């Protein structure tokens, strides 16, 4: 059964409490996790300040895949309608070899059957715009751009939330340096082709892969990894003999719009996403807590689930019950998010195997 209407109604009910008495929170980071946390806390009646070290919102990027569980979290935050306004369903995607032979289907049909709704794809700029728009509608939140977090500055907020990404200053200051970014050998490339390929899913080769998804009418989201490739020419050469439309996607899109970034993850896993001792209660969400590789496409989803769970726990326990709220949040989210992160790293090693014959044989046993 599709629960989107019920979830949206619950989100609207939560929003009606935005003017009630609550605590105060300082959220560091104005990405998906930070803004979604701010929305959830504001709906619980808290006063929220968001600090963002960048001078303006970062509207770069291509597409977010939003799993049905994350869609439900957005419904509870009152953002389900904004998501569905521009999202497209993700269906009929395959895993292929470089010659185009289909090895298996991605499990999208099973996800839709189980959840009663499909996985959705939405352009990253649309979601990044929808989150502050909702904060503006709710009121009571200041977003300070160009303001990096200073761990030595005087406190004052009841709760500190670190949503400042894989290089989190909050994590470094409050959780130590034991868990830190670890870089993989490959870099990731992402871009948008100005046409619909109609061929979606992922193609796995020797040590590299290429993926394509829908994102908006007339456009296709793509992503790839190649060890050692640092230029557009090298990336195009790495996929020149792969099946259509991969060479065409790379040939027909402007390299100036491509984004290249190192593949990284947080390692080792944190023993807790929260702290209450020392300088007061603090919680980590999103990449600050469990940054992962892109292979499962769950980075934004886990950040949204973190944000909604933290806000829900805080609303249930109130400003005076923050220790219990943070225990509840950590208990709900840490193991689940870390399993996803581990699964993504494991899949990355599998996808980029240097001897793909056994891998392809195993994948070929899956339904196609």
């Amino acid at each position: 059964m599709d629960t989107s209407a019920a979830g949206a109604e619950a989100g609207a009910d939560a929003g009606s409490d935005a003017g009630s008495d609550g605590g105060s929170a300082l959220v560091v980071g104005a990405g998906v996790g930070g803004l979604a946390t701010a929305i959830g806390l504001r709906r619980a009646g808290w006063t929220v300040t968001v600090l963002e070290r960048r001078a303006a919102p970062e509207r770069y990027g291509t597409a977010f895949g939003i799993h049905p569980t994350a869609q439900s979290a957005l419904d509870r935050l009152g953002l389900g309608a904004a998501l569905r306004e521009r999202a497209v369903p993700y269906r009929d995607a395959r895993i292929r070899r470089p010659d185009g032979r289909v090895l298996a289907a991605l499990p999208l049909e099973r996800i839709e059957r189980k959840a009663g709704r499909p996985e959705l794809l939405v352009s990253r700029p649309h979601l990044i715009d929808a989150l502050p728009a909702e904060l503006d509608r709710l009121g009571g939140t200041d977003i300070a751009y160009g303001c990096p977090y200073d761990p030595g500055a005087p406190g004052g907020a009841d709760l500190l939330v670190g949503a400042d990404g894989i290089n989190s200053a909050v994590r470094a200051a409050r959780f130590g340096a034991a868990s830190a970014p670890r870089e993989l050998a490959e870099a990731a490339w992402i871009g948008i082709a100005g046409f619909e390929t109609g061929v979606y899913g992922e193609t796995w080769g020797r040590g590299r892969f290429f993926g394509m998804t829908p994102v908006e009418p007339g456009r296709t989201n793509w992503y790839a990894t190649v060890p050692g490739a640092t230029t557009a020419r090298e990336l195009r050469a790495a996929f020149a003999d792969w099946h259509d439309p991969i060479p065409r996607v790379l040939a027909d899109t402007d390299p100036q719009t491509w984004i290249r970034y190192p593949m990284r993850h947080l390692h080792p896993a944190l023993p807790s996403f929260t702290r209450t001792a020392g300088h007061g209660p603090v919680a980590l969400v999103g990449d600050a807590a469990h940054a992962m590789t892109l292979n499962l496409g769950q980075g934004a989803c886990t950040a949204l689930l973190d944000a909604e769970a933290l806000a829900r726990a805080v609303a249930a326990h109130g400003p005076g019950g923050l220790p219990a709220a943070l225990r509840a949040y950590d208990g709900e989210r840490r193991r689940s998010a870390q399993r996803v992160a581990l699964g993504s790293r494991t899949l990355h090693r599998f996808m980029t195997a240097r001897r793909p014959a056994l891998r392809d044989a195993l994948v070929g046993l899956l339904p196609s």
Side-chain angles (χ1 to χ4, degrees):
M1 179 181 69
D2 191 337
T3 58
S4 58
E9 182 177 347
D13 291 343
S16 66
D17 294 333
S20 62
D21 293 334
S24 61
L26 176 63
V27 177
V28 181
V32 169
L35 293 176
T37 301
I39 290 169
L41 292 174
R42 187 68 199 115
R43 286 181 171 276
W46 283 52
T47 300
V48 183
T49 298
V50 180
L51 299 184
E52 171 54 58
R53 65 179 177 83
R54 297 180 177 88
E58 285 208 327
R59 300 183 72 258
Y60 73 89
T62 55
F64 284 138
I66 308 297
H67 189 274
T69 55
Q71 294 172 41
S72 295
L74 283 168
D75 284 334
R76 292 190 291 272
L77 291 169
L79 288 159
L83 169 72
R84 286 183 286 274
E85 179 184 357
R86 294 279 296 275
V88 296
Y90 190 25
R91 298 185 174 107
D92 193 25
R94 301 285 186 268
I95 300 171
R96 296 175 172 85
R97 297 194 324 184
D99 61 7
R101 175 186 164 191
V102 173
L103 295 173
L106 292 178
L108 300 173
E109 183 179 350
R110 185 168 70 248
I111 290 172
E112 183 171 357
R113 187 169 59 249
K114 180 178 179 181
R117 62 171 93 178
E119 180 144 349
L120 297 177
L121 286 149
V122 64
S123 72
R124 186 184 188 279
H126 173 67
L127 189 57
I128 290 295
D129 289 345
L131 292 167
E134 178 65 9
L135 279 176
D136 286 344
R137 191 188 70 78
L138 292 171
T141 300
D142 293 324
I143 304 178
Y145 290 101
C147 293
Y149 169 67
D150 180 2
D158 297 313
L159 174 64
L160 171 65
V161 179
D164 48 342
I166 190 171
N167 294 310
S168 172
V170 174
R171 186 185 66 243
R174 299 295 302 276
F175 292 75
S179 293
R182 298 291 189 269
E183 191 164 321
L184 304 182
E186 301 87 358
W189 300 73
I190 57 176
I192 293 282
F195 60 95
E196 294 182 47
T197 65
V199 177
Y200 303 122
E202 295 179 341
T203 302
W204 298 358
R206 188 185 303 275
R208 66 197 63 180
F209 66 84
F210 196 96
M212 293 174 285
T213 73
V215 58
E216 292 175 332
R219 308 177 81 201
T220 296
N221 169 65
W222 62 264
Y223 52 95
T225 68
V226 178
T230 60
T231 67
R233 177 178 293 181
E234 291 171 338
L235 190 72
R236 284 171 168 162
F239 296 105
D241 60 350
W242 284 33
H243 68 81
D244 186 70
I246 292 174
R248 186 158 48 96
V249 163
L250 293 174
D252 291 355
T253 55
D254 182 1
Q256 295 299 316
T257 65
W258 301 1
I259 298 170
R260 179 182 183 271
Y261 60 93
M263 289 275 280
R264 298 181 295 171
H265 63 97
L266 191 65
H267 182 80
L270 286 165
S272 176
F273 288 176
T274 67
R275 289 282 174 89
T276 54
H279 299 285
V282 57
L284 301 177
V285 302
D287 283 354
H290 48 68
M292 64 188 71
T293 64
L294 59 73
N295 303 85
L296 285 176
Q298 292 294 301
C301 291
T302 51
L304 290 168
L305 291 167
D306 292 347
E308 191 277 328
L310 177 60
R312 177 164 31 84
V314 167
H317 290 86
L322 278 176
L326 296 189
R327 285 194 299 272
Y329 163 65
D330 188 66
E332 178 177 342
R333 290 298 306 146
R334 179 165 49 87
R335 287 185 175 85
S336 175
Q338 289 174 346
R339 280 195 299 270
V340 174
L342 176 60
S344 193
R345 292 199 303 276
T346 302
L347 181 60
H348 177 79
R349 290 193 292 269
F350 188 69
M351 291 170 64
T352 57
R354 300 307 175 97
R355 297 180 178 178
L358 177 60
R359 178 201 65 194
D360 292 355
L362 291 173
V363 174
L365 298 175
L366 301 173
S368 59

